[in-house]
């Protein structure tokens, strides 16, 4: 499986991956998350222009997983990582995150951050296995805090499903 920078022609495939990967949330009662729209073409185009959209492609150069990473408050923030269920649990998510690490290094950014659900098995526990740690509140900078607020405004602030900010690398606790 090759990992390469995404191109605008990949946008429909990326949106398809997001919808398919999101279905897992339905099985734990988070139908609203499963029903969320995938990232818009405009949003994906911006990430592609910044070089922060990565895809893992199969033998026919069709994307089966993707990751979006961007500079945020001096660190590299993983905005999204999703693997098509047909290719899940083969290490692709972990490989994409390694490439995001290299992206952070290349951009002089100190480590990776992300926001995720604390108690969804393939969210915070998965990232903890990959070496991420929950950032305590006083280590969450203004840019990350604003990102969390934006996500809450978009329906991710669910009382029964707390979110956490996690980090890996130089700036992790
Ligand atoms: C999270 C995700 C990117 C992981 O990608 P992946 O390529 O399947 O993961 P890897 O192969 O690197 O690692 C596999 C590990 O992930 C975790 N995992 C993946 N799917 C899981 C599931 N359905 N239930 C529980 N744990 C799961 C397990 O720890 C698993 O290890 P195991 O197979 O030994 O049990 C993928 O499951 C996904 O796209 N999920 C839906 C979208 C999502 O939640 N994205 C993250 C938003 S913050």
């Amino acid at each position: 499986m090759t990992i390469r920078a995404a191109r605008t022609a990949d946008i429909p495939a990326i949106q398809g991956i997001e919808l398919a990967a999101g279905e897992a949330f339905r099985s734990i009662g988070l139908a609203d998350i499963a029903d969320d729209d995938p990232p818009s073409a405009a949003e994906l185009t911006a990430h592609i222009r910044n070089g922060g959209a990565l895809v893992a492609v199969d033998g026919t150069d069709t994307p089966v997983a993707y990751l979006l990473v961007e500079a945020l408050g001096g660190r590299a923030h993983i905005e999204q990582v999703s693997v098509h269920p047909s290719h899940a649990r083969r290490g692709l998510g972990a490989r994409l995150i390694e490439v995001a690490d290299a992206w952070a290094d290349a951009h002089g950014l100190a480590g990776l951050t992300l926001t995720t659900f604390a108690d969804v098995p393939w969210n915070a526990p998965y990232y903890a296995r990959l070496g991420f740690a929950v950032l305590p509140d006083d280590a969450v900078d203004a840019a990350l805090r604003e990102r969390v607020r934006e996500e809450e405004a978009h329906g991710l602030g669910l009382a029964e499903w707390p979110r956490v900010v996690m980090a890996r690398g130089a700036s992790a606790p």
Side-chain angles (χ1 to χ4, degrees), residues 9 20 22 26 31 33 43 53 56 87 90 116 128 130:
R26 205 178 299 284
I33 304 296
E43 203 179 322
H87 287 73
R90 299 182 204 175
T116 195
L130 295 181

Side-chain angles (χ1 to χ4, degrees), residues 21 40 59 64 69 90 100 115 137:
S40 68
V64 297
V69 60
R90 299 182 204 175
T115 62
D137 272 352

Side-chain angles (χ1 to χ4, degrees), residues 70 72 75 77-79 113-118 134-158 161-167:
E70 64 190 335
L72 187 72
R75 294 184 274 209
H77 184 71
I78 297 176
E79 175 58 26
T113 57
L114 54 82
T115 62
T116 195
F117 286 109
V134 173
L135 269 186
D137 272 352
D138 61 4
V140 176
D141 65 23
L144 265 171
R145 213 175 291 282
E146 177 58 23
R147 186 58 57 94
V148 171
R149 265 197 295 269
E150 286 166 11
E151 291 177 347
E152 284 171 358
H154 280 92
L156 293 180
L158 306 167
W161 291 98
R163 304 272 297 170
V164 285
V165 179
M166 301 183 84

Side-chain angles (χ1 to χ4, degrees), residues 3 52 54 67-70 76-78 93-107 109 111-112 132 168:
I3 294 179
L54 305 165
L67 179 147
L68 304 178
V69 60
E70 64 190 335
H77 184 71
I78 297 176
R95 275 188 61 200
L96 280 165
I97 290 168
E98 289 307 314
V99 178
D101 244 342
W103 188 93
D105 280 349
H107 289 78
L109 297 164
L112 295 173
F132 285 80
R168 181 174 93 170

Side-chain angles (χ1 to χ4, degrees), residues 21 25 81-83 89-94 116 122-123 126-127 129:
F25 287 93
V81 51
S82 293
V83 176
R89 298 180 113 147
R90 299 182 204 175
L92 272 185
T116 195
W122 56 90
N123 282 185
Y126 168 64
Y127 297 117
R129 282 180 62 181

